[in-house]
Amino acid sequence: YPVLEAVRMAFYELNPLRPEDSTFAGFDNFRQLFDDDLFWQSFRQAAIWTTCSIFLQTLIGVLLALLLHLPLRGMAIFRGLLLFPYIVPTVVIALILQWMLNADIGVVNWSLRRSGLIDENIYWLSTPTMAMVSTILLNVWKYTPFVTICVLARLQTIPLELYDAARVDGAGIVRRFIDITLPQLAEVLTVVVIFRTIWTFNKFEEIYLLTKGGPGTSTFNLAIYSFEQSVANLQMGVGAATGVVMMFLLFAGSLIYMRVFQFAEEDTP
């Protein structure tokens, strides 16, 4: 019902304060979107935010999973601690990170100055580039454990006989990782990347709590753009149209990604 209602609202001119005055607008809401420079800016920033976040989450998540898969004493404790970032409420993380990244009294700048890495304070949340970097780091820190847990679960099911046979054939660590581990992880990584892409592209609360889309509109993504159109500008139809466009992009992107993965899997000897 929410999906169908969003699609219906996308074709209406609707003021949330006067819903009884809604009128059919056809494709006018979509035309307004595509003529709005802020929409395209939000789209580009959403693509950057999503791509960088997913790449770092996947890379760090796989590396952490490989470390946690090592048969070392006490590893179960670290596996338990890994869940902490994932279970802490986002609002708590955002508020603490705002304090940590404060340009004047934040612990991050203080630590960097004490270590001699910087001479002047970095304005993490007050400059467009650093604000985007800060939101990406927040997303990576919170959701990398999800990737790690999924990859670690798959690593524990890979038959050890495959590695033993590779060692007998003289394969080193790198070759075993490329020829055995990565192919075995391919399916779970496909699912993880698709789900994390959908969730990250739709993310609202992390950016809004940390930067509110600022400074200016430098960290707007499509979710925040939809919120601003619906709530601040009282254009529910435009906000719903933004959601429909996001849904279409994610659905099409997921199909393309799965199709490319299927072709790659078929070509693998």
Side-chain angles (χ1 to χ4, degrees), residues 12 24 52 109 121 128 131 170 180 183 197 200 204 206 215 248 255:
Y12 280 82
F24 182 74
C52 293
N109 276 345
N121 289 335
I180 299 176
T197 299
T200 304
F204 167 82
E206 293 171 7
F248 174 79
L255 289 179

Side-chain angles (χ1 to χ4, degrees), residues 16-217:
L17 300 181
R18 296 192 303 273
E20 67 280 359
D21 296 336
S22 63
T23 57
F24 182 74
F27 289 94
D28 289 347
N29 290 329
F30 294 94
R31 294 191 188 97
Q32 181 176 337
L33 282 183
F34 299 142
D35 290 337
D36 189 358
D37 292 337
L38 181 56
F39 170 81
W40 294 109
Q41 177 189 349
S42 301
F43 173 74
R44 289 192 299 271
Q45 291 168 176
I48 293 172
W49 143 270
T50 303
T51 302
C52 293
S53 297
I54 298 306
F55 174 77
L56 292 174
Q57 287 174 30
T58 305
L59 177 63
I60 299 173
V62 171
L63 292 176
L64 286 177
L66 292 173
L67 289 175
L68 294 175
H69 188 55
L70 295 175
L72 300 177
R73 181 179 300 177
M75 193 59 72
I77 297 176
F78 291 100
R79 293 173 183 170
L81 292 175
L82 180 71
L83 292 172
F84 272 33
Y86 194 59
I87 62 179
V88 176
T90 303
V91 63
V92 175
I93 298 174
L95 291 175
I96 292 176
L97 198 59
Q98 282 182 340
W99 171 78
M100 293 176 61
L101 296 177
N102 185 282
D104 300 317
I105 62 173
V107 66
V108 174
N109 276 345
W110 179 86
S111 300
L112 292 175
R113 288 197 310 271
R114 293 280 293 183
S115 62
L117 296 176
I118 62 173
D119 297 323
E120 298 180 354
N121 289 335
I122 299 176
Y123 290 85
W124 296 94
L125 303 178
S126 303
T127 57
T129 301
M130 297 311 299
M132 178 62 74
V133 171
S134 300
T135 58
I136 291 173
L137 292 178
L138 169 59
N139 187 267
V140 171
W141 182 83
K142 181 170 175 60
Y143 292 104
T144 295
F146 173 81
V147 180
T148 304
I149 292 170
C150 293
V151 174
L152 181 60
R154 182 65 183 97
L155 283 173
Q156 294 175 339
T157 64
I158 299 176
L160 296 179
E161 293 79 7
L162 296 176
Y163 294 102
D164 294 336
R167 290 191 187 94
V168 172
D169 293 337
I173 296 177
V174 176
R175 179 53 58 186
R176 293 198 300 270
F177 176 76
I178 295 175
D179 292 342
I180 299 176
T181 306
L182 274 184
Q184 294 291 327
L185 295 178
E187 291 185 0
V188 70
L189 285 177
T190 300
V191 176
V192 167
V193 168
I194 289 176
F195 275 93
R196 286 303 310 142
T197 299
I198 294 173
W199 295 338
T200 304
F201 195 79
N202 286 327
K203 272 296 176 182
F204 167 82
E205 69 274 15
E206 293 171 7
I207 297 178
Y208 193 79
L209 288 171
L210 192 62
T211 66
K212 290 185 170 54
T217 57

